[in-house]
Amino acid sequence: MGKTQEFLKNVIKYCIPSIVSAIIGLIAIPIISSIYPADDYGKINLFYSVGNMLLYIVLLGLDSAYIRFYFEPPEGLNKNNLFSIAFLLGCLDTIFITLIVYIIFPEKASYYLYGEYSKELLILMTIYVLGLIMFRLLSIETRMENKAVLFNIQQILLIITNRVSFVCVAFYSTNYKYSILAISFCSIFIGIIFLLIQKKGKWLELKNVNSKKMKYLMKFSFPLMPATIMTWVNNSAAKMVLSGYKDYNLVGILSIATSLANVFSIVSSAFCTYWSPYMYSNYKKEQEFIKKVHNVILLISIITVLIIFCFQDVLYFFVNGEYKESQKYFLLIMLSPIQQLLCETTFYGVNIANKTIYNLYISIIAGLFNVGSCILLYPKFNIWGIIIGISGAAILQLISKTIIGQRYYESIVSKKTTFLSYLIIIFIAILNVFTFKYLMLRIVISIVISIACVFFFRNEVRIIKSLLKKL
């Protein structure tokens, strides 16, 4: 039990940003839903989404290579080389894309994002992405070095940049342009500060880098870049499709629903942050322990979904006006962060075996399903066409990643228990569409499912009970 207790304590060290994010979100949501018109908030959220998409594009998957080879760098390279390659190429790619857009089609890009023409807003996007590059690479370093305090500070400042700065600006003006200005300059300013603190002038070390080593890195990283973009597509396709239809009002409502669905990330964020370096450094010697972790994560996921299912009225107490209509479908949106957590314990075999091409295939298929569903179903079924795309893509990824990941690294004790758990979570999300108004019915359903889970996860319940006594 000592090993399990130590693992839990290491995970808990990284949970502070998730808690802070949840608290800030609960404070910000009533302000946003009371002050911001849905279409203005929709444009701000699109700015976030596109900024993160560009981050994945410009890094070319090298952020994932930085994680994968941090402890086992290719021969002749070191950690600083890996950072420098990703940082330099990311910045150069950002500037290149900016020039292309700014010179060739600035009006189309601006009208698509904001519904009006503004070159200044396009420049702000560039500034924001440069800040995100610094945040991404520097936070990887702190994670891999297990510097929990510094990592938590970085993540909290990023949360403040993305969620607090524009809310503060709202007291001056709810015009989305002022909010985007605040977000962009906070991002680049804080990114530069941490670059100077962490790298101390050693942010560009390319002495040992040559074309052969670059080719080796790109062979691993490049398939991850489109896969990561397709992951972004799955998270943001609905907003982009709605933007194409100029339905910024529904973008705003969907964004609030997504923020509430991401309450689940309180559970997943700390675990995922610690799990990645743990897997790469322990997968050879701790396979049995990793299997136990998978079952515990299954149980915690079901419990968390049941708690949210029961007490969702508390979350929606903070939501005002037209944003409240998302309550009936927000649990279906939550399937996306749920699958991301569950796949953390089933899909690492693909990366360990350097078979990242499967990540690309799965992401493309799920992304096409999501985009296709949104485009084809939205005109006829409105928001429900969008929800089918989001939830269907999440389920598709969850099942396919589990099956393929287990071919290369076995981390599941019982496939029947795993897939039964998946079905329970999906069932609860669908059931909420019909029961979101009936508190007592939701409580009864949750009690019945909880009793069944205690029976199926007897060993995991004992582990959790023992840990809680020792904390």
Side-chain angles (χ1 to χ4, degrees), residues 9 38 46 164 295 307 359 464:
K9 286 181 177 178
L46 273 175
V164 177
N295 272 9
I307 291 170
N359 203 349
I464 293 171

Side-chain angles (χ1 to χ4, degrees), residues 80 84 194-205:
N80 286 334
S84 299
F194 276 105
L195 184 68
L196 295 174
I197 290 171
Q198 285 181 239
K199 304 312 289 184
K200 297 175 182 176
K202 296 181 179 179
W203 53 272
L204 203 60
E205 291 189 11

